[in-house]
Amino acid sequence: QGNWQQPITRGEFACLAIRYLAMEYGYTDEAFVNDYMRYCPDRNGEFWGEEDFGDGLSWWQRFSDNEGSFYLTDLPQGEQRGYINAAYFIGIVNGKGDGSVYDPDGAITRQEAACMLARSYEQLDPEDHRVALYSDYTDYDTMADWAKDDIAAMVGLGVMGSTSNTEMLFDPLGTYSREQAVVTFLRLYEDAPVSRSKENVAKLEEAAYERAVWNALHKLGITDSQVQFRADTQ
C-alpha cells in the first residue's frame, strides 16, 4: 500500500484494527475473528452459535459473504467486507445515521480515530488510562462529548498527542492519514501496558472470561478486584 499521506478510509481502518488484534493474540485475521465470535459476546453482549444460523459456515465466511447482510447495508464487495463486519460486531466501529450504513470510503477525523483505537485496545486491557485533558488542550471545548474519554485514553497512553509544536492542540476534526493510523497502532503495540511485545497478552479464551467478570464487578461498583482465569474448573 502506498500514498501514506492520503486520509485513511473507514474501511481501511477497520482492516487495520482487526489485523492489530489478530497479531496481538497470535492469530491469523480469519482465525482471530472465528475464535473471538466463539468465546466473546458481540457489541450488544450477546453470544451467537451455529444454532442461530444452521448454515455450517465459519464466522469469517459469514462476514465475508458478498451476498450476505448483517446490520450494515453499504459494505463493499471483496476483502474489506469481512473486516468491517467483524469490527462492527466486536464493537470497534459504528454505523452512521440510523446505524445501518458504514460509509466505507469516507475519511475519519482525529477524534473518531481516537475512539476506534481506544475500542481496539480495550479488547486487550479494559483498565481506564485517561488523563485530565481539559487542563492541557486549548481546543478541549471543540472535542465531541462522545469522544472525550477515548481521546483522554489515547493521550494517557502516549498514542496520540498535540498536532502543534507551540501549543497543546489536539485538532479533533482534523483528518487522519494512513501513516498516522499505522504509527498509532504501532505505538499501542510497542508502548501500551498490555501487548504481545511485553508478552503479557492473555489467550483469547482467558481474556474473554476475565473481561466478562471484570465488567460485571465494575457494574456492581467493585473496582479494586483482580480477576484471574483458571482452567482447572468450569
Side-chain angles (χ1 to χ4, degrees):
Q1 180 173 292
N3 300 321
W4 292 101
Q5 302 308 314
Q6 178 177 317
I8 191 168
T9 67
R10 288 167 55 80
E12 291 169 343
F13 199 99
C15 293
L16 271 182
I18 294 300
R19 286 173 175 158
Y20 160 76
L21 287 173
M23 181 274 301
E24 288 280 35
Y25 281 114
Y27 283 86
T28 64
D29 300 349
E30 179 178 342
F32 165 73
V33 170
N34 287 335
D35 266 12
Y36 184 95
M37 296 302 297
R38 174 187 177 191
Y39 294 128
C40 306
D42 68 7
R43 62 187 294 123
N44 297 315
E46 298 180 359
F47 286 90
W48 298 68
E50 174 60 28
E51 64 274 7
D52 296 304
F53 299 95
D55 55 12
L57 300 178
S58 70
W59 274 100
W60 183 254
Q61 290 171 325
R62 292 190 191 104
F63 285 156
S64 303
D65 184 0
N66 286 329
E67 303 301 323
S69 178
F70 286 97
Y71 296 114
L72 302 172
T73 60
D74 65 337
L75 298 190
Q77 304 286 301
E79 181 186 35
Q80 284 190 8
R81 191 179 188 90
Y83 286 97
I84 297 171
N85 267 324
Y88 179 82
F89 264 69
I90 291 173
I92 296 171
V93 302
N94 295 321
K96 284 187 169 183
D98 64 359
S100 66
V101 297
Y102 183 67
D103 186 21
D105 294 324
I108 64 173
T109 63
R110 282 175 54 80
Q111 64 183 3
E112 289 172 332
C115 291
M116 290 188 276
L117 285 162
R119 294 182 202 128
S120 299
Y121 181 65
E122 284 171 2
Q123 299 299 320
L124 303 173
D125 177 16
E127 293 289 347
D128 191 338
H129 299 281
R130 285 178 292 177
V131 297
L133 289 175
Y134 60 85
S135 62
D136 298 319
Y137 283 86
T138 58
D139 56 351
Y140 176 82
D141 291 339
T142 68
M143 300 174 188
D145 288 339
W146 47 263
K148 287 178 179 176
D149 284 350
D150 289 333
I151 294 173
M154 291 301 95
V155 171
L157 289 171
V159 173
M160 299 179 76
S162 176
T163 59
S164 171
N165 293 325
T166 59
E167 61 178 320
M168 295 298 288
L169 191 70
F170 188 79
D171 189 19
L173 298 180
T175 58
Y176 212 62
S177 69
R178 288 173 168 174
E179 179 182 56
Q180 289 169 323
V182 171
V183 167
T184 45
F185 271 116
L186 182 60
R187 287 175 185 161
L188 280 177
Y189 173 77
E190 292 181 338
D191 301 327
V194 177
S195 174
R196 192 177 180 188
S197 70
K198 295 181 173 60
E199 300 181 349
N200 60 355
V201 175
K203 291 182 179 179
L204 185 58
E205 182 181 7
E206 298 176 12
Y209 173 87
E210 292 175 1
R211 181 178 175 86
V213 177
W214 188 90
N215 285 335
L217 291 172
H218 272 239
K219 288 180 180 179
L220 294 173
I222 304 171
T223 60
D224 59 350
S225 294
Q226 297 295 315
V227 182
Q228 185 173 6
F229 177 84
R230 288 183 58 184
D232 58 348
T233 176
Q234 295 182 354

